[in-house]
mmCIF file of all heavy atoms in Angstrom:
data_model
loop_
_atom_site.group_PDB
_atom_site.id
_atom_site.type_symbol
_atom_site.label_atom_id
_atom_site.label_comp_id
_atom_site.label_asym_id
_atom_site.label_seq_id
_atom_site.Cartn_x
_atom_site.Cartn_y
_atom_site.Cartn_z
ATOM 1 N N MET Q 99 -0.746 6.659 20.929
ATOM 2 C CA MET Q 99 -1.056 7.279 19.660
ATOM 3 C C MET Q 99 -0.066 8.412 19.456
ATOM 4 O O MET Q 99 0.438 8.579 18.318
ATOM 5 C CB MET Q 99 -2.492 7.852 19.701
ATOM 6 C CG MET Q 99 -3.579 6.892 19.509
ATOM 7 S SD MET Q 99 -5.126 7.673 19.176
ATOM 8 C CE MET Q 99 -5.476 8.467 20.731
ATOM 9 N N GLN Q 100 0.250 9.132 20.543
ATOM 10 C CA GLN Q 100 1.136 10.260 20.443
ATOM 11 C C GLN Q 100 2.554 9.869 20.100
ATOM 12 O O GLN Q 100 3.257 10.587 19.339
ATOM 13 C CB GLN Q 100 1.134 11.148 21.671
ATOM 14 C CG GLN Q 100 -0.144 11.888 21.899
ATOM 15 C CD GLN Q 100 -0.212 12.520 23.306
ATOM 16 O OE1 GLN Q 100 0.769 12.427 23.975
ATOM 17 N NE2 GLN Q 100 -1.275 12.996 23.648
ATOM 18 N N ARG Q 102 3.668 6.912 18.727
ATOM 19 C CA ARG Q 102 3.921 6.167 17.458
ATOM 20 C C ARG Q 102 4.411 7.094 16.326
ATOM 21 O O ARG Q 102 3.880 8.195 16.175
ATOM 22 C CB ARG Q 102 2.544 5.438 17.002
ATOM 23 C CG ARG Q 102 2.739 4.692 15.752
ATOM 24 C CD ARG Q 102 1.458 4.885 14.900
ATOM 25 N NE ARG Q 102 1.139 6.194 14.567
ATOM 26 C CZ ARG Q 102 1.657 6.897 13.578
ATOM 27 N NH1 ARG Q 102 2.598 6.324 12.751
ATOM 28 N NH2 ARG Q 102 1.300 8.127 13.356
ATOM 29 N N ARG Q 103 5.351 6.654 15.614
ATOM 30 C CA ARG Q 103 5.838 7.371 14.486
ATOM 31 C C ARG Q 103 5.920 6.534 13.239
ATOM 32 O O ARG Q 103 6.169 5.256 13.508
ATOM 33 C CB ARG Q 103 7.177 8.044 14.805
ATOM 34 C CG ARG Q 103 7.220 9.018 15.989
ATOM 35 C CD ARG Q 103 7.482 10.424 15.679
ATOM 36 N NE ARG Q 103 6.892 10.997 14.530
ATOM 37 C CZ ARG Q 103 6.092 12.054 14.472
ATOM 38 N NH1 ARG Q 103 5.778 12.644 15.663
ATOM 39 N NH2 ARG Q 103 5.657 12.579 13.389
ATOM 40 N N SER Q 104 5.982 7.056 12.162
ATOM 41 C CA SER Q 104 6.327 6.263 10.876
ATOM 42 C C SER Q 104 7.845 6.100 10.929
ATOM 43 O O SER Q 104 8.607 7.027 11.150
ATOM 44 C CB SER Q 104 5.980 7.036 9.641
ATOM 45 O OG SER Q 104 4.630 7.193 9.534
ATOM 46 N N HIS Q 105 8.297 4.801 10.778
ATOM 47 C CA HIS Q 105 9.738 4.529 10.761
ATOM 48 C C HIS Q 105 10.207 4.297 9.328
ATOM 49 O O HIS Q 105 9.586 3.564 8.589
ATOM 50 C CB HIS Q 105 10.088 3.353 11.636
ATOM 51 C CG HIS Q 105 10.035 3.706 13.066
ATOM 52 N ND1 HIS Q 105 11.154 3.687 13.853
ATOM 53 C CD2 HIS Q 105 9.013 4.140 13.886
ATOM 54 C CE1 HIS Q 105 10.836 4.104 15.142
ATOM 55 N NE2 HIS Q 105 9.481 4.329 15.183
ATOM 56 N N ARG Q 106 11.313 4.954 8.926
ATOM 57 C CA ARG Q 106 11.820 4.790 7.572
ATOM 58 C C ARG Q 106 13.246 4.297 7.641
ATOM 59 O O ARG Q 106 13.904 4.335 6.607
ATOM 60 C CB ARG Q 106 11.730 6.116 6.813
ATOM 61 C CG ARG Q 106 10.257 6.538 6.621
ATOM 62 C CD ARG Q 106 10.105 7.871 5.895
ATOM 63 N NE ARG Q 106 8.629 8.186 5.824
ATOM 64 C CZ ARG Q 106 7.945 8.863 6.664
ATOM 65 N NH1 ARG Q 106 8.531 9.292 7.822
ATOM 66 N NH2 ARG Q 106 6.677 9.050 6.522
ATOM 67 N N LYS Q 196 12.821 13.165 -4.416
ATOM 68 C CA LYS Q 196 13.138 12.005 -3.472
ATOM 69 C C LYS Q 196 13.848 10.869 -4.160
ATOM 70 O O LYS Q 196 14.790 10.344 -3.675
ATOM 71 C CB LYS Q 196 11.820 11.619 -2.813
ATOM 72 C CG LYS Q 196 12.124 10.835 -1.525
ATOM 73 C CD LYS Q 196 10.837 10.706 -0.781
ATOM 74 C CE LYS Q 196 11.037 9.821 0.510
ATOM 75 N NZ LYS Q 196 9.821 9.445 1.192
ATOM 76 N N MET Q 203 13.416 4.718 -1.800
ATOM 77 C CA MET Q 203 12.431 5.681 -1.272
ATOM 78 C C MET Q 203 11.059 5.022 -1.040
ATOM 79 O O MET Q 203 10.224 5.671 -0.420
ATOM 80 C CB MET Q 203 12.233 6.788 -2.264
ATOM 81 C CG MET Q 203 11.669 6.394 -3.578
ATOM 82 S SD MET Q 203 11.123 7.781 -4.606
ATOM 83 C CE MET Q 203 9.787 8.406 -3.865
ATOM 84 N N ILE Q 204 10.853 3.740 -1.454
ATOM 85 C CA ILE Q 204 9.541 3.162 -1.272
ATOM 86 C C ILE Q 204 9.545 2.228 -0.083
ATOM 87 O O ILE Q 204 8.728 2.361 0.906
ATOM 88 C CB ILE Q 204 8.953 2.423 -2.558
ATOM 89 C CG1 ILE Q 204 9.034 3.374 -3.755
ATOM 90 C CG2 ILE Q 204 7.674 1.765 -2.263
ATOM 91 C CD1 ILE Q 204 8.145 4.503 -3.712
ATOM 92 N N TYR Q 206 12.351 1.443 1.828
ATOM 93 C CA TYR Q 206 13.435 1.845 2.884
ATOM 94 C C TYR Q 206 14.161 0.593 3.480
ATOM 95 O O TYR Q 206 14.364 0.634 4.725
ATOM 96 C CB TYR Q 206 12.708 2.549 4.055
ATOM 97 C CG TYR Q 206 11.861 3.715 3.594
ATOM 98 C CD1 TYR Q 206 10.474 3.722 3.792
ATOM 99 C CD2 TYR Q 206 12.398 4.973 3.069
ATOM 100 C CE1 TYR Q 206 9.633 4.826 3.385
ATOM 101 C CE2 TYR Q 206 11.609 6.033 2.740
ATOM 102 C CZ TYR Q 206 10.259 5.975 2.903
ATOM 103 O OH TYR Q 206 9.532 7.076 2.538
ATOM 104 N N ASN Q 229 -8.053 0.085 5.659
ATOM 105 C CA ASN Q 229 -7.437 1.259 6.360
ATOM 106 C C ASN Q 229 -7.712 1.197 7.856
ATOM 107 O O ASN Q 229 -6.859 1.582 8.596
ATOM 108 C CB ASN Q 229 -7.986 2.495 5.680
ATOM 109 C CG ASN Q 229 -7.338 2.735 4.337
ATOM 110 O OD1 ASN Q 229 -6.188 2.493 4.132
ATOM 111 N ND2 ASN Q 229 -8.138 3.188 3.384
ATOM 112 N N THR Q 232 -5.266 -1.209 9.144
ATOM 113 C CA THR Q 232 -3.924 -0.629 9.239
ATOM 114 C C THR Q 232 -3.828 0.227 10.423
ATOM 115 O O THR Q 232 -2.768 0.308 11.075
ATOM 116 C CB THR Q 232 -3.732 0.195 7.878
ATOM 117 O OG1 THR Q 232 -3.974 -0.712 6.775
ATOM 118 C CG2 THR Q 232 -2.283 0.742 7.888
ATOM 119 N N ILE Q 236 -0.876 -0.429 13.213
ATOM 120 C CA ILE Q 236 0.277 0.401 13.533
ATOM 121 C C ILE Q 236 0.436 0.637 14.986
ATOM 122 O O ILE Q 236 1.539 0.761 15.493
ATOM 123 C CB ILE Q 236 0.339 1.725 12.720
ATOM 124 C CG1 ILE Q 236 -0.951 2.540 12.965
ATOM 125 C CG2 ILE Q 236 0.501 1.481 11.261
ATOM 126 C CD1 ILE Q 236 -0.827 3.992 12.333
ATOM 127 N N THR Q 246 6.527 0.595 12.144
ATOM 128 C CA THR Q 246 5.799 0.445 10.857
ATOM 129 C C THR Q 246 5.931 1.751 10.059
ATOM 130 O O THR Q 246 6.301 2.799 10.629
ATOM 131 C CB THR Q 246 4.273 0.182 11.080
ATOM 132 O OG1 THR Q 246 3.794 1.291 11.842
ATOM 133 C CG2 THR Q 246 4.033 -1.093 11.691
ATOM 134 N N CYS Q 247 5.675 1.626 8.709
ATOM 135 C CA CYS Q 247 5.465 2.802 7.943
ATOM 136 C C CYS Q 247 4.345 2.361 6.867
ATOM 137 O O CYS Q 247 4.536 1.465 6.117
ATOM 138 C CB CYS Q 247 6.709 3.222 7.243
ATOM 139 S SG CYS Q 247 6.514 4.842 6.373
ATOM 140 N N ILE Q 248 3.277 3.089 6.919
ATOM 141 C CA ILE Q 248 2.194 2.850 5.975
ATOM 142 C C ILE Q 248 2.740 3.318 4.612
ATOM 143 O O ILE Q 248 3.449 4.269 4.456
ATOM 144 C CB ILE Q 248 0.970 3.672 6.252
ATOM 145 C CG1 ILE Q 248 0.365 3.327 7.663
ATOM 146 C CG2 ILE Q 248 -0.143 3.556 5.255
ATOM 147 C CD1 ILE Q 248 -0.678 4.279 8.195
ATOM 148 N N ASN Q 249 2.383 2.529 3.610
ATOM 149 C CA ASN Q 249 2.906 2.938 2.209
ATOM 150 C C ASN Q 249 1.837 3.053 1.195
ATOM 151 O O ASN Q 249 1.221 2.127 0.717
ATOM 152 C CB ASN Q 249 3.949 1.836 1.746
ATOM 153 C CG ASN Q 249 4.774 2.508 0.668
ATOM 154 O OD1 ASN Q 249 4.240 2.750 -0.500
ATOM 155 N ND2 ASN Q 249 5.955 2.881 1.049
ATOM 156 N N GLY Q 250 1.576 4.370 0.884
ATOM 157 C CA GLY Q 250 0.482 4.698 -0.105
ATOM 158 C C GLY Q 250 1.058 4.514 -1.574
ATOM 159 O O GLY Q 250 0.274 4.180 -2.444
ATOM 160 N N TYR Q 251 2.353 4.640 -1.706
ATOM 161 C CA TYR Q 251 2.911 4.613 -3.046
ATOM 162 C C TYR Q 251 2.647 3.138 -3.706
ATOM 163 O O TYR Q 251 2.395 3.104 -4.874
ATOM 164 C CB TYR Q 251 4.382 4.882 -3.043
ATOM 165 C CG TYR Q 251 4.835 6.333 -2.967
ATOM 166 C CD1 TYR Q 251 5.812 6.762 -2.141
ATOM 167 C CD2 TYR Q 251 4.137 7.331 -3.713
ATOM 168 C CE1 TYR Q 251 6.167 8.016 -2.034
ATOM 169 C CE2 TYR Q 251 4.515 8.628 -3.641
ATOM 170 C CZ TYR Q 251 5.539 9.045 -2.833
ATOM 171 O OH TYR Q 251 5.867 10.354 -2.800
ATOM 172 N N ILE Q 252 2.913 2.139 -2.849
ATOM 173 C CA ILE Q 252 2.725 0.733 -3.396
ATOM 174 C C ILE Q 252 1.288 0.607 -3.794
ATOM 175 O O ILE Q 252 0.994 -0.027 -4.880
ATOM 176 C CB ILE Q 252 3.122 -0.281 -2.350
ATOM 177 C CG1 ILE Q 252 4.633 -0.126 -2.043
ATOM 178 C CG2 ILE Q 252 2.853 -1.675 -2.811
ATOM 179 C CD1 ILE Q 252 5.165 -0.980 -0.958
ATOM 180 N N ALA Q 277 -0.641 -1.090 2.183
ATOM 181 C CA ALA Q 277 0.668 -1.726 2.268
ATOM 182 C C ALA Q 277 1.349 -1.175 3.552
ATOM 183 O O ALA Q 277 1.300 0.004 3.824
ATOM 184 C CB ALA Q 277 1.492 -1.429 1.023
ATOM 185 N N LEU Q 279 4.951 -1.341 5.808
ATOM 186 C CA LEU Q 279 6.386 -1.754 6.077
ATOM 187 C C LEU Q 279 6.447 -2.016 7.508
ATOM 188 O O LEU Q 279 5.933 -1.326 8.303
ATOM 189 C CB LEU Q 279 7.346 -0.703 5.628
ATOM 190 C CG LEU Q 279 7.159 -0.167 4.185
ATOM 191 C CD1 LEU Q 279 8.135 1.037 3.930
ATOM 192 C CD2 LEU Q 279 7.348 -1.201 3.154
ATOM 193 N N PHE Q 287 12.677 7.737 18.877
ATOM 194 C CA PHE Q 287 12.208 9.112 18.871
ATOM 195 C C PHE Q 287 12.135 9.620 20.311
ATOM 196 O O PHE Q 287 11.533 8.910 21.091
ATOM 197 C CB PHE Q 287 10.827 9.243 18.202
ATOM 198 C CG PHE Q 287 10.950 9.001 16.747
ATOM 199 C CD1 PHE Q 287 10.594 7.829 16.125
ATOM 200 C CD2 PHE Q 287 11.402 10.031 15.797
ATOM 201 C CE1 PHE Q 287 10.704 7.533 14.834
ATOM 202 C CE2 PHE Q 287 11.509 9.845 14.401
ATOM 203 C CZ PHE Q 287 11.126 8.566 13.912
ATOM 204 N N ARG Q 293 0.484 18.296 16.970
ATOM 205 C CA ARG Q 293 -0.328 18.235 15.713
ATOM 206 C C ARG Q 293 -1.364 19.304 15.718
ATOM 207 O O ARG Q 293 -1.767 19.729 16.825
ATOM 208 C CB ARG Q 293 -0.961 16.850 15.641
ATOM 209 C CG ARG Q 293 -0.180 15.644 15.128
ATOM 210 C CD ARG Q 293 -0.107 15.643 13.658
ATOM 211 N NE ARG Q 293 1.090 14.916 13.239
ATOM 212 C CZ ARG Q 293 1.189 13.637 13.136
ATOM 213 N NH1 ARG Q 293 0.078 12.911 13.358
ATOM 214 N NH2 ARG Q 293 2.314 13.026 12.849
HETATM 215 C C1 LIG Y 26 -2.652 6.621 3.907
HETATM 216 C C2 LIG Y 26 -1.148 6.940 4.196
HETATM 217 C C3 LIG Y 26 -0.167 6.683 3.237
HETATM 218 C C4 LIG Y 26 1.127 6.903 3.443
HETATM 219 N N1 LIG Y 26 2.057 6.642 2.518
HETATM 220 C C5 LIG Y 26 3.418 6.831 2.772
HETATM 221 C C6 LIG Y 26 4.356 6.419 1.828
HETATM 222 O O1 LIG Y 26 3.989 6.019 0.678
HETATM 223 N N2 LIG Y 26 5.658 6.651 2.189
HETATM 224 C C7 LIG Y 26 6.035 7.163 3.331
HETATM 225 O O2 LIG Y 26 7.226 7.218 3.573
HETATM 226 N N3 LIG Y 26 5.147 7.490 4.305
HETATM 227 C C8 LIG Y 26 3.832 7.311 4.031
HETATM 228 N N4 LIG Y 26 2.892 7.568 5.005
HETATM 229 C C9 LIG Y 26 3.284 8.053 6.299
HETATM 230 C C10 LIG Y 26 2.902 9.561 6.461
HETATM 231 O O3 LIG Y 26 3.857 10.377 5.797
HETATM 232 C C11 LIG Y 26 3.072 9.853 7.986
HETATM 233 O O4 LIG Y 26 2.089 9.146 8.635
HETATM 234 C C12 LIG Y 26 2.921 11.311 8.334
HETATM 235 O O5 LIG Y 26 3.994 11.979 7.788
HETATM 236 C C13 LIG Y 26 2.836 11.613 9.894
HETATM 237 O O6 LIG Y 26 4.016 10.995 10.491
HETATM 238 P P1 LIG Y 26 3.924 9.925 11.602
HETATM 239 O O7 LIG Y 26 3.267 8.739 11.052
HETATM 240 O O8 LIG Y 26 5.297 9.723 12.079
HETATM 241 O O9 LIG Y 26 3.049 10.464 12.650
HETATM 242 C C14 LIG Y 26 1.491 7.372 4.745
HETATM 243 C C15 LIG Y 26 0.576 7.557 5.787
HETATM 244 C C16 LIG Y 26 -0.751 7.309 5.487
HETATM 245 C C17 LIG Y 26 -1.749 7.487 6.560
#
Side-chain angles (χ1 to χ4, degrees):
M99 284 193 293
Q100 287 169 10
R102 178 215 58 82
R103 302 241 44 118
S104 295
H105 284 249
R106 297 180 179 86
K196 197 167 172 185
M203 67 171 287
I204 305 296
Y206 306 113
N229 287 321
T232 306
I236 59 175
T246 58
C247 189
I248 299 172
N249 198 288
Y251 281 140
I252 296 172
L279 307 176
F287 291 100
R293 279 279 156 84

